[in-house]
Amino acid sequence: MPNLTDITLQLAHQSNSTTLYQDFEIQLDSNLLLQLMTSYNIKASDVTGDYVFNSLVYEQFVKTEPYNAGNSVLKNTTLAISSWPQKLSWSQLNQRINNFLLAWLNDYKLGANLDAAFLLTRCLELKSSKNVQFQSLLNHLIARVTNQLEQYKFSYVQNFDLETGLPNQHLLLSLLNLSLSNNQSLNNNQQNDLSKSAHLPESVHLGLILINLNINHGEASQLNSASSNLMLAVIHTIQQHLNDDATLFHVGAIDLAVLINPLKSPTQLNLIATKLLHAFETSLPLEKITLILNPHFGAISTFNIQTNAIFLYEYAKLALNQAIVKNEKIKIYDQNISSSFMSSQLLDEAIIEALQQNELSLFLQPIVTINDKSISDKVSITEQCTSAEVLLRWPNQEWQSISPARLLDVIYKKGFGKVFIRWLINNACQHCAELAAIHQHNVSLTINLSSSDLLDSDLPELLSQSISLWNISASGLTIEITENDILVDEVKVLQVLDQIVQLGCKIALDDFGTGYSSMARLRNMPIDIVKIDQSFVRNISNSTQDKAIVKSIIKLAHSLGKEVIAEGVEDLACLNILKEMNCEKIQGYYYGKPMSFEVFVIWLDAFKTQQLT
């Protein structure tokens, strides 16, 4: 049986999928055969002949249950036994047994039954007193080679990806460890024999490149039937640009690795990564679809750092992660990356601790309703703060200016999404209750939910419990979602939204105009409010195109019976244009930045007083 490490390079350079058993071979040499025969008290002279294939025994055999139990009727094995010569020399016997075992393996791979093979050997009779021993020997050889094949299969599955045929991460780490251990032994020899060190070979350096194919969920869903062939097309593209000193590995769903052994110089690492990057500048050979990938590369070499296999691989992953986060194509590992990672890890831990210790805070940004109707003969209120958006903040002196996006990213990646959303909803409902009961302000609050939140069937019940706990009206909560959140699973998201609407909550569609806008979705989804993204609103006083876009969105929303909120209003000129367009709700720095709950209450009192005067 071949050594898996020995065949790795050969397998890695194949561009198509490798069959599971194709590299398994069985060759029973004469010495081993003679030893096994001796254990059964058989001599070489005992098995030269006479042999006969007993057709009567075979006819009885084919009627037995084991014969029909598998997916194969032992055609290859039956042929090998039925064509067995009457007499054989020792060398001929050895070859005949090897052919017999190979025939059995071919049947076994097709699903033949092992018990049936044992019974089949009874059909081959040796006309001597050693017949029983000979048939037992054949059964022993069948069991032995079957066990060898199963061990090979298990080892193969452990070390190779069955879909692509490439060696996997497990074998990559084994090869790294083997190569690094050999280098360490060589270095020890050099230190122990300084007088001959000039004649000893130099240490062999290794290079490792990790590749992330940078395929997002949207692209993956658009690939449809072509997606199964995507990885094979990528592998074919990469292998066309690799030399014999480079081995390709499949280490993740959309991740590959290239091991360069030996690596001649540190610059070679960057040259190979650049070469592979250029290989993806043309479209992949996929049927019925054109796709150009923009992969990221993280690389490391033993020129950079001397360590063990696990750390070498992890450092390469750090370099790859840095490339992805900073949107760089190629990142070579250096010590600064580890320092940055440690800082990032500490921040992640601090964020989760802040969530658990209730140190996160909710800030509120006013949403002002423009109302030109008189409510009495003497007073006409034209502007009124009827709602506010809830925004996440972390008031921490050690970690200042941490964006809400980073906070949420860590919380959800660490598996605390459900804990956070429960905290968010509960605190929002508490603020809503306090505004009404304590401060006499009837202000509804808008909370932002992510796609993962909307796929949680427990979300409506969680909202219902918090609304009941704080004794507020469900209409005091608006659930804000984005178009991209809907796209994840539109059917399931719609089911959850329908339950939320049945509670009495409103639904706002955020960032309208920036995603995959669909008029049918706006019509069919239970959307109450459309929020125009600030990227269109902010410059409407200077951009005729932005002004036209905002005007058309307002008209469309109103025609479908939706309210409109314009985000990003920062000056009076922008506000006046929106008033002319009959935009009823305004959000932006012109009225107020996000502020703590206590400051928001003070702002509300001052704003109300200002409008009355």
Side-chain angles (χ1 to χ4, degrees):
M1 184 173 64
N3 185 285
L4 284 171
T5 303
D6 294 338
I7 65 173
T8 299
L9 295 178
Q10 176 186 350
L11 288 176
H13 287 290
Q14 294 178 353
S15 58
N16 56 351
S17 182
T18 300
T19 305
L20 180 59
Y21 300 107
Q22 74 176 23
D23 295 286
F24 181 84
E25 297 176 359
I26 181 65
Q27 189 66 35
L28 185 68
D29 62 58
S30 57
N31 291 330
L32 179 57
L33 177 58
L34 191 58
Q35 291 177 20
L36 293 174
M37 288 170 55
T38 302
S39 68
Y40 282 92
N41 196 25
I42 301 174
K43 299 177 182 178
S45 59
D46 295 332
V47 289
T48 56
D50 292 324
Y51 291 97
V52 63
F53 178 75
N54 193 325
S55 58
L56 293 178
V57 175
Y58 179 74
E59 289 176 4
Q60 292 297 319
F61 161 67
V62 296
K63 297 177 183 179
T64 62
E65 182 180 349
Y67 177 79
N68 299 304
N71 299 320
S72 167
V73 289
L74 294 167
K75 290 182 179 179
N76 295 297
T77 314
T78 300
L79 179 61
I81 287 183
S82 62
S83 62
W84 201 281
Q86 186 178 1
K87 287 185 177 294
L88 291 167
S89 66
W90 170 248
S91 61
Q92 289 174 331
L93 175 68
N94 195 175
Q95 184 59 46
R96 176 59 60 171
I97 287 180
N98 276 317
N99 291 340
F100 163 72
L101 294 176
L102 181 61
W104 156 244
L105 286 180
N106 288 331
D107 287 336
Y108 180 70
K109 295 171 187 176
L110 296 173
N113 184 276
L114 183 60
D115 290 332
F118 291 153
L119 293 175
L120 181 60
T121 60
R122 298 179 181 180
C123 301
L124 181 62
E125 297 178 355
L126 175 62
K127 295 301 181 179
S128 75
S129 60
K130 299 294 183 180
N131 180 50
V132 175
Q133 291 91 328
F134 175 71
Q135 290 179 346
S136 297
L137 172 66
L138 290 182
N139 287 341
H140 177 106
L141 294 173
I142 289 174
R144 181 177 181 274
V145 74
T146 304
N147 181 58
Q148 286 180 329
L149 181 62
E150 286 300 317
Q151 288 180 352
Y152 176 83
K153 177 183 176 182
F154 176 78
S155 185
Y156 189 98
V157 171
Q158 291 291 311
N159 291 280
F160 292 89
D161 175 66
L162 297 182
E163 183 177 350
T164 64
L166 291 181
N168 60 19
Q169 179 183 329
H170 180 268
L171 190 50
L172 170 61
L173 292 174
S174 298
L175 292 176
L176 279 174
N177 189 56
L178 178 63
S179 300
L180 293 171
S181 297
N182 290 340
N183 280 348
Q184 184 62 42
S185 298
L186 182 60
N187 291 334
N188 291 339
N189 290 337
Q190 290 175 341
Q191 293 174 4
N192 294 334
D193 195 351
L194 296 177
S195 62
K196 299 180 181 180
S197 62
H199 304 289
L200 291 173
E202 294 182 359
S203 297
V204 177
H205 284 283
L206 308 175
L208 179 62
I209 301 174
L210 298 186
I211 308 169
N212 177 273
L213 299 181
N214 193 22
I215 304 173
N216 59 44
H217 296 296
E219 288 175 328
S221 63
Q222 294 172 25
L223 291 174
N224 297 326
S225 61
S227 60
S228 60
N229 297 319
L230 173 61
M231 185 58 72
L232 295 179
V234 169
I235 290 170
H236 179 71
T237 299
I238 292 176
Q239 288 180 328
Q240 286 182 316
H241 295 81
L242 293 180
N243 297 326
D244 292 338
D245 56 2
T247 308
L248 185 61
F249 296 79
H250 188 205
V251 296
I254 56 171
D255 296 290
L256 297 166
V258 177
L259 176 62
I260 304 98
N261 185 8
L263 186 71
K264 299 178 180 63
S265 69
T267 56
Q268 185 187 4
L269 198 63
N270 191 70
L271 289 173
I272 294 174
T274 303
K275 184 179 180 181
L276 294 177
L277 180 62
H278 291 329
F280 286 96
E281 291 178 351
T282 57
S283 60
L284 292 171
L286 292 173
E287 185 180 357
K288 298 180 181 179
I289 189 171
T290 300
L291 181 65
I292 297 179
L293 297 181
N294 296 294
H296 297 286
F297 297 82
I300 190 172
S301 76
T302 52
F303 285 105
N304 298 98
I305 189 169
Q306 295 291 332
T307 184
N308 59 38
I310 296 293
F311 278 105
L312 196 70
Y313 184 77
E314 290 299 322
Y315 288 151
K317 285 173 61 177
L318 288 180
L320 177 61
N321 181 68
Q322 191 87 338
I324 294 172
V325 170
K326 295 191 174 182
N327 198 26
E328 299 178 11
K329 294 304 177 186
I330 302 172
K331 190 70 178 179
I332 308 296
Y333 175 82
D334 59 44
Q335 294 291 347
N336 292 330
I337 292 178
S338 288
S339 300
S340 175
F341 174 75
M342 290 302 297
S343 177
S344 177
Q345 287 290 91
L346 291 173
L347 174 57
D348 291 355
E349 294 174 4
I351 290 173
I352 298 304
E353 184 178 357
L355 172 63
Q356 294 174 328
Q357 299 298 326
N358 200 30
E359 295 174 0
L360 299 180
S361 179
L362 295 182
F363 276 38
L364 306 178
Q365 185 175 27
I367 299 175
V368 174
T369 300
I370 307 299
N371 185 359
D372 58 0
K373 294 181 180 180
S374 299
I375 61 172
S376 71
D377 295 337
K378 296 182 179 180
V379 180
S380 177
I381 301 177
T382 57
E383 298 175 354
Q384 185 179 7
C385 181
T386 56
S387 57
E389 181 176 0
V390 176
L391 300 167
L392 182 64
R393 294 293 186 268
W394 184 25
N396 185 285
Q397 294 298 319
E398 183 179 358
W399 303 95
Q400 298 185 23
S401 303
I402 303 299
S403 69
R406 176 63 191 274
L407 294 174
L408 294 173
D409 181 63
V410 171
I411 288 170
Y412 281 88
K413 279 187 176 180
K414 296 292 185 180
F416 287 83
K418 203 154 188 174
V419 174
F420 168 74
I421 205 64
R422 183 180 297 275
W423 173 88
L424 172 65
I425 291 174
N426 184 68
N427 278 269
C429 289
Q430 179 182 353
H431 285 339
C432 195
E434 291 178 356
L435 284 170
I438 300 176
H439 304 287
Q440 307 301 310
H441 289 295
N442 186 21
V443 176
S444 64
L445 297 183
T446 298
I447 57 177
N448 295 274
L449 298 183
S450 67
S451 56
S452 59
D453 301 325
L454 296 173
L455 294 175
D456 186 358
S457 56
D458 294 334
L459 178 63
E461 179 61 25
L462 180 58
L463 282 165
S464 177
Q465 291 175 358
S466 292
I467 289 170
S468 299
L469 175 65
W470 293 102
N471 193 28
I472 63 172
S473 171
S475 60
L477 282 185
T478 298
I479 305 303
E480 190 171 298
I481 62 176
T482 68
E483 295 176 89
N484 291 338
D485 292 331
I486 301 172
L487 288 174
V488 174
D489 188 336
E490 193 162 339
V491 174
K492 190 169 184 179
V493 168
L494 182 57
Q495 292 174 349
V496 173
L497 290 180
D498 284 339
Q499 295 180 58
I500 294 175
V501 170
Q502 290 175 13
L503 291 175
C505 300
K506 292 183 177 181
I507 306 296
L509 185 61
D510 193 19
D511 299 338
F512 187 80
T514 61
Y516 301 95
S517 303
S518 169
M519 300 304 105
R521 184 177 296 113
L522 191 60
R523 179 189 63 193
N524 298 331
M525 299 288 281
I527 305 298
D528 301 291
I529 303 168
V530 172
K531 298 188 74 173
I532 308 176
D533 187 69
Q534 59 182 320
S535 62
F536 298 115
V537 174
R538 189 179 292 113
N539 296 317
I540 58 173
S541 58
N542 300 317
S543 171
T544 55
Q545 290 182 333
D546 287 350
K547 184 176 180 180
I549 291 172
V550 171
K551 186 175 182 179
S552 64
I553 293 176
I554 292 174
K555 284 187 175 181
L556 171 65
H558 285 169
S559 68
L560 295 174
K562 319 293 184 186
E563 291 183 306
V564 178
I565 297 176
E567 296 182 288
V569 179
E570 298 181 353
D571 54 60
L572 183 60
C574 178
L575 174 63
N576 288 333
I577 293 174
L578 290 168
K579 285 182 178 180
E580 294 174 1
M581 295 179 180
N582 295 320
C583 181
E584 58 266 56
K585 293 182 181 293
I586 306 296
Q587 181 178 352
Y589 284 7
Y590 178 79
Y591 285 111
K593 296 182 179 181
M595 57 195 85
S596 66
F597 179 77
E598 294 75 15
V599 175
F600 178 71
V601 171
I602 297 173
W603 180 92
L604 272 176
D605 292 334
F607 185 76
K608 185 175 182 180
T609 301
Q610 179 184 356
Q611 296 308 309
L612 289 173
T613 58

